[in-house]
Amino acid sequence: MFEAVEELLVEHAALEARLADPSVHADQANARKLAKRYAELTPITRAFRAWRQAGEDIEAARELAAEDSEFLAEVKSGEARREELTEELRLLLVPRDPNDDKDVILEIKAGEGGEESALFAGDLLRMYLRFAERIGWKTELIDSNESDLGGYKDVSVAVKTKGNAEPGQGVWARLKYEGGVHRVQRVPATESQGRIHTSAAGVLVTPEAEEVEVEIVANDLRIDVYRSSGPGGQSVNTTDSAVRITHLPTGIVASCQNEKSQLQNKEQAMRILRSRLLAAAQEEAEREASDARRSQVRTVDRSERIRTYNYPENRISDHRTGFKSYNLDQVLDGELNAVIQSCVDADAAAKLAAAQQN
């Protein structure tokens, strides 16, 4: 492991020298690529230097302990510290998800529960928008289909980072764990008897694809136009501006009706389609990539849940990691970090265990 780190240290130093050369920044695309790699290697370099320094401190303490036993405590504490740094290095060296730095398209769909499910989908949307706001990400509503009571039958939103994110802090790196069925237990607004109901909404997260990443042949597309619709007859267009695009070879469908013009709706639908095709292509090409999507929505059924939001107990539970806390109101206001971190930690532990077996 540490031989590999030495090679990364050499690469890190070479990148630092190149980025200090003004001529490199004449090519902005290449400069960004170099800066991204430099940022990826910096935590490894920092941890390895601390690990090496800890070893030197241990040796110095052992020499002093040979003459004075009081220094034995420093030896023990130094060894414990070095073991912590060893584990940190192992985690840093686990292969990263190549999509971690990508922006995402996040889709929320109402499932079982009728209007209550649509209202919960709206609550989830607000939760993610508040979470993005707290972090400093940008959000863009791409498409939405509102319900009669102000919830969402389905809604799509793009989430983007501002500038270069720290390794492991990109939008996909954090939000990829949100894909799946989210179950809610509460007294619905439509319930007159005060009984607690259970309903569900589905979340699908895909890395947003650049045009150059997915080749789409025009003849492979069927484009249908229709009139957009809204709750109670509101927002109904008098022209056929809504667009539905079907990718015939795969059967993947994307639609948009939010924009006023047919052209704008087509562009937004193509964004969704590219992201879905990229995700499908990666899943087909690399079966291990499907691990990140196995927990995502297949059917929005209450039994296939990844997380439960229990309003009477103010409790949130993640069924994949065992995480549980009693601050549901704060989580719904965007304080999602602790929940997501439990997924990040569990994923890292699984990857580390797999790497140690190989």
Side-chain angles (χ1 to χ4, degrees):
M1 178 178 77
F2 298 108
E3 290 180 2
V5 176
E6 292 284 4
E7 294 177 4
L8 295 178
L9 286 177
V10 173
E11 183 183 355
H12 184 264
L15 286 168
E16 189 171 39
R18 292 186 67 185
L19 288 168
D21 182 354
S23 65
V24 169
H25 297 273
D27 184 347
Q28 286 295 310
N30 184 51
R32 282 194 296 269
K33 181 179 178 181
L34 295 177
K36 178 182 174 182
R37 179 59 175 164
Y38 180 79
E40 290 174 357
L41 295 180
T42 295
I44 299 173
T45 302
R46 188 183 302 123
F48 183 71
R49 287 172 178 165
W51 178 87
R52 191 164 51 190
Q53 182 61 52
E56 294 173 2
D57 293 343
I58 291 170
E59 289 305 313
R62 281 175 179 163
E63 290 179 9
L64 292 170
E67 300 177 3
D68 186 347
S69 60
E70 290 186 3
F71 285 97
L72 286 173
E74 289 191 22
V75 174
K76 290 183 179 179
S77 64
E79 289 174 340
R81 172 60 179 155
R82 201 177 201 219
E83 185 60 33
E84 290 176 1
L85 289 167
T86 300
E87 288 304 307
E88 182 181 340
L89 268 172
R90 286 198 179 105
L91 286 173
L92 287 170
L93 291 171
V94 170
R96 297 176 65 242
D97 183 336
N99 289 323
D100 272 356
D101 297 321
K102 286 184 177 292
D103 298 325
V104 309
I105 290 179
L106 186 147
E107 302 171 60
I108 306 171
K109 299 179 182 295
E112 293 186 7
E115 281 291 346
E116 165 61 7
S117 177
L119 289 171
F120 179 52
D123 294 333
L124 290 177
L125 174 63
R126 180 182 180 277
M127 178 181 74
Y128 291 124
L129 294 179
R130 291 285 290 123
F131 178 61
E133 181 183 349
R134 288 172 183 271
I135 292 181
W137 292 340
K138 296 181 292 184
T139 56
E140 174 193 355
L141 186 67
I142 296 178
D143 191 34
S144 63
N145 184 9
E146 294 186 30
S147 68
D148 291 334
L149 295 183
Y152 288 92
K153 296 177 182 177
D154 54 78
V155 57
S156 302
V157 59
V159 186
K160 299 176 176 291
T161 189
K162 293 180 180 179
N164 292 323
E166 291 290 321
Q169 298 300 313
V171 182
W172 171 256
R174 305 298 286 178
L175 289 184
K176 62 184 174 183
Y177 303 103
E178 293 305 297
V181 174
H182 296 240
R183 183 177 68 169
V184 62
Q185 296 172 325
R186 65 183 179 186
V187 179
T190 55
E191 169 59 53
S192 60
Q193 303 297 320
R195 293 172 296 187
I196 296 174
H197 287 226
T198 299
S199 59
V203 175
L204 180 67
V205 187
T206 52
E208 182 160 12
E210 301 290 339
E211 290 188 41
V212 294
E213 294 179 283
V214 179
E215 182 180 355
I216 299 178
V217 179
N219 289 340
D220 288 342
L221 301 179
R222 185 180 73 232
I223 301 176
D224 301 308
V225 295
Y226 57 98
R227 292 187 181 182
S228 64
S229 59
Q234 298 175 9
S235 304
V236 177
N237 287 344
T238 56
T239 59
D240 294 337
S241 61
V243 175
R244 181 187 301 109
I245 303 176
T246 304
H247 186 250
L248 298 175
T250 62
I252 293 174
V253 179
S255 61
C256 185
Q257 64 174 6
N258 262 32
E259 305 296 338
K260 293 182 179 180
S261 77
Q262 189 180 116
L263 178 60
Q264 289 174 314
N265 281 324
K266 180 181 177 182
E267 290 174 350
Q268 297 287 43
M270 284 297 293
R271 286 178 65 185
I272 298 173
L273 181 64
R274 276 195 298 269
S275 296
R276 291 179 180 175
L277 287 173
L278 176 64
Q282 289 175 334
E283 188 172 320
E284 181 68 26
E286 301 179 38
R287 281 300 166 189
E288 62 268 25
S290 68
D291 292 343
R293 294 177 55 83
R294 282 174 186 162
S295 65
Q296 297 213 13
V297 181
R298 293 183 293 279
T299 59
V300 186
D301 183 280
R302 285 189 293 254
S303 63
E304 289 192 26
R305 82 278 188 194
I306 63 164
R307 194 176 293 158
T308 295
Y309 303 72
N310 185 298
Y311 276 66
E313 298 179 12
N314 198 35
R315 169 173 53 84
I316 184 164
S317 306
D318 194 290
H319 305 292
R320 299 161 297 178
T321 66
F323 176 89
K324 184 183 295 184
S325 68
Y326 292 85
N327 64 336
L328 176 58
D329 53 337
Q330 296 173 29
V331 170
L332 289 169
D333 195 42
E335 293 188 14
L336 259 176
N337 264 324
V339 191
I340 291 176
Q341 192 60 45
S342 73
C343 298
V344 172
D345 293 342
D347 189 24
K351 287 179 179 177
L352 180 58
Q356 290 173 337
Q357 289 177 355
N358 295 334

